[in-house]
Amino acid sequence: MILGHHLIAGEWVAGEATFSNAPAHGPVRDFSVGTPAHVDAAAKAAEEAFWSYGFSSRAERAAFLNKIADEIDARGEAITEIGTQESGLPAARLQGERGRTVGQLRLFASHIEKGDYLDRRHDLALPDRQPLARPELRLMQRPVGPVAVFGASNFPLAFSTAGGDTASALAAGCPVLVKGHSAHPGTSDIVAQAISAAITATGVHPGVFSQIQGGNRAVGQAVVQHPLIKAVGFTGSLGGGRALFDLCATRPDPIPFFGELGSVNPMFLLPHAMQARGEAIAKGWSGSLTMGAGQFCTNPGVAVVIEGADCDAFIKTVTDALALVGAQTMLTDGIAQAYRSGRDRIRTSAGVQEVLTSTCDLRNATPFLFTTTGKEWLANETLGEEIFGPLGMVVKVRDFNEMLAVATSLHGQLTCTLHMDAADTTTARALMPILERKAGRILANGFPTGVEVCDSMVHGGPFPASTNFGATSVGTMAIRRFLRPVCYQDIPVDLLPSDFK
Ligand code: NAP
C-alpha cells in the first residue's frame, strides 16, 4: 500500500499540503508536500543517529544493507506495478533495475566487510630519529556524517531512494536523508517502506534513514543548506544541479556536492573500423541511442566520423535503423518538453542538417538524427550540450587532425568511445591522452549505456559530467564520496576506532 507521506526517523508524517503524481498510466495519487520543517526534523534525527550508526561495526551495516535488499525484493511486484505507472518504463526494465538496486546494496555489504575501503595506514614511531623524533601515525577513512541524496528521475530504483548514492552512504556509516523525485513518489514510498522494515528488523537507529517527498523547490534548497548535512549526492539537470551546487558552495560551511549532470558521450569512429564494419557500428549505435527513450546519462548522442563514402553509408544505415524505432513514453511531461526544446535548438543552429525527422508530442519521444561538420561544431559550443532523449548528431570531420580538434573542444564527459580496428591503433593512440582528460570512462568497440556496477567502474568525469571529477557515483569507489581521512597521532590503541584492531 502506498502511504503518501514522508518517512522521518521511523514515523510516517503527513504534510499540510499535497501534490499529485503524474503517472504515464494508472491512477493519480496524492502525496504530502515536503517543507523545510520536515527537512529540519529529518536532519536532526540523522545527526542523532550518526552517534551510533557512524560508529557501528561493518558487520552490522552489512547486515542492514542486505536486509534492505531482501525487503525490496519482498515488495518486488508492488514496486514494478507503481514504477511502470509512474515512469512509463516497461515492466522488464523495472525488474532489471530492481535487480541492479539490490545487487548494489549487497555489493556494498560485501565491500565494507572486506575492509580495504578503510585505506588503513600505519607509520611506526621513530623515537630515535634525528633531528626530530617521529610520532606514531595511523590513518583511516571515517564517515562524514548525515548525507542528502536527490533521487533521479531516470532511475526510479537504482539512483533513487535505495539507489547507489544511498547504498554507498549507508555502507560508509552515514545516515541518509532522501529528497524524493516528484516524478515517482509512489515508487519511492514503497522503497522507503522496505528500508523502514529493515531498520526495525536490524535495530539500527531510525534516524539513519528519512525520505521527504518534493512537490516544492524549497525542500531541495533546505536540504543542501541544512547545517547538519555534510555531503550531497545528486543526478539530474545541469541547471538544477548547478543551482544546488552553488548553494552548497555558498553555505557558511561549504560541503561537497557530488552532482552528475550532463554528458553527450561522444564516439570516435576510426577509418579502418568504419571500412570493415561501419554497418554494424551504425546499427549498434541506433540501438544504444534509443534504448529507454535515450534517457540515460551515458546515452551516446554524438558520433565523430571522417567524411567520405564510409561516413555517408554509416549515416544512411543509422537513418534507416532509427526510422524503425517508434514513439516511447518519456519519464515526465517536462522531460518530453525539454527533449523537443533541445531538438528545436539543434534544428535552428547554423550549419546543421536534419537527416531523420519525426513527429513526437505529449509525453513521447521519437528519434531524430542531425549532421554537422567539424568546422561548424568547433564554431558553436552549444552543439555539445546534452539533449536528454534519442537524438543523435554525426559530426563529419575533414581529416584526423580535425577529429583531434573536436576531441580537444569537448566539455567533460561521463564516457568517450573509440570504434577501432588494429590498423587504427596509431590514430587511437593520439586520441587517448585527450579522451583521458575529458572522460571518466573510455571504451573501445562498445556502447556506453549499460553501466557495470563493480570495483573498476567510474561514473563521473570533469564538469559538467560531474561536479567533482575525483569521484564516481557507480561502483564500489562511490563510497569514497562519503568518507574523509582522519589521522591518529600517538593515540593509545584503546582509543582508536575498532576497525584498527
Ligand atoms: P532536475 O530538474 O535537475 O531535478 C532533479 C532533482 O533536483 C529533483 O528532486 C528536483 O526537485 C530538484 N531540483 C532541481 N532544481 C532545483 C532547484 N533549483 N532547487 C531545488 N531543487 C531543485 O532533473 P530531472 O527532473 O530529473 O530532469 C530534468 C532534466 O534533467 C532532463 O530533461 C534532462 O535534461 C536532465 N537529466 C539528466 C540526467 C543525467 O543523467 N545526465 C538524468 C536525469 C535528468 P523536483 O522533484 O521538485 O523537481
Side-chain angles (χ1 to χ4, degrees), residues 322-323 325 339 343 347 354 356-360 365-369 390:
L322 290 178
V325 179
Y339 176 59
R343 172 207 60 190
R347 207 175 235 175
E354 189 163 338
L356 173 72
T357 192
S358 58
T359 38
C360 59
T366 47
F368 288 87
L369 185 66

Side-chain angles (χ1 to χ4, degrees), residues 226-425:
H226 198 287
L228 294 173
I229 296 296
K230 297 300 174 202
V232 180
F234 173 95
T235 300
S237 67
L238 185 55
R242 183 70 208 222
L244 294 168
F245 172 79
D246 289 346
L247 285 177
C248 285
T250 52
R251 287 167 47 130
D253 60 333
I255 56 169
F257 178 85
F258 298 99
E260 197 236 290
L261 312 179
S263 189
V264 294
N265 305 297
M267 307 188 309
F268 293 85
L269 313 186
L270 300 186
H272 289 93
M274 281 293 282
Q275 200 175 35
R277 51 198 165 84
E279 187 179 343
I281 298 169
K283 288 181 178 163
W285 185 35
S286 157
S288 181
L289 185 68
T290 54
M291 188 197 298
Q295 300 168 114
F296 289 109
C297 26
T298 51
N299 198 37
V302 173
V304 187
V305 197
I306 295 174
E307 63 189 13
D310 290 337
C311 174
D312 295 342
F314 173 80
I315 292 169
K316 167 92 175 63
T317 309
V318 178
T319 308
D320 292 347
L322 290 178
L324 299 175
V325 179
Q328 297 178 77
T329 308
M330 296 201 90
L331 294 159
T332 66
D333 290 329
I335 287 175
Q337 183 53 47
Y339 176 59
R340 289 192 287 273
S341 304
R343 172 207 60 190
D344 293 344
R345 173 170 59 76
I346 294 290
R347 207 175 235 175
T348 53
S349 296
V352 171
Q353 284 79 46
E354 189 163 338
V355 183
L356 173 72
T357 192
S358 58
T359 38
C360 59
D361 57 7
L362 306 172
R363 195 165 154 175
N364 298 318
T366 47
F368 288 87
L369 185 66
F370 295 89
T371 63
T372 191
T373 62
K375 190 175 167 204
E376 296 289 351
W377 173 277
L378 291 168
N380 184 356
E381 212 181 342
T382 65
L383 294 179
E385 290 174 10
E386 181 188 57
I387 295 168
F388 200 60
L391 184 147
M393 165 76 79
V394 178
V395 183
K396 299 190 278 186
V397 291
R398 269 195 329 270
D399 52 24
F400 184 63
N401 282 337
E402 197 168 68
M403 185 179 270
L404 289 179
V406 168
T408 308
S409 76
L410 292 171
H411 294 295
Q413 303 292 333
L414 291 172
T415 69
C416 286
T417 301
L418 289 168
H419 284 277
M420 58 175 287
D421 276 358
D424 292 311
T425 300

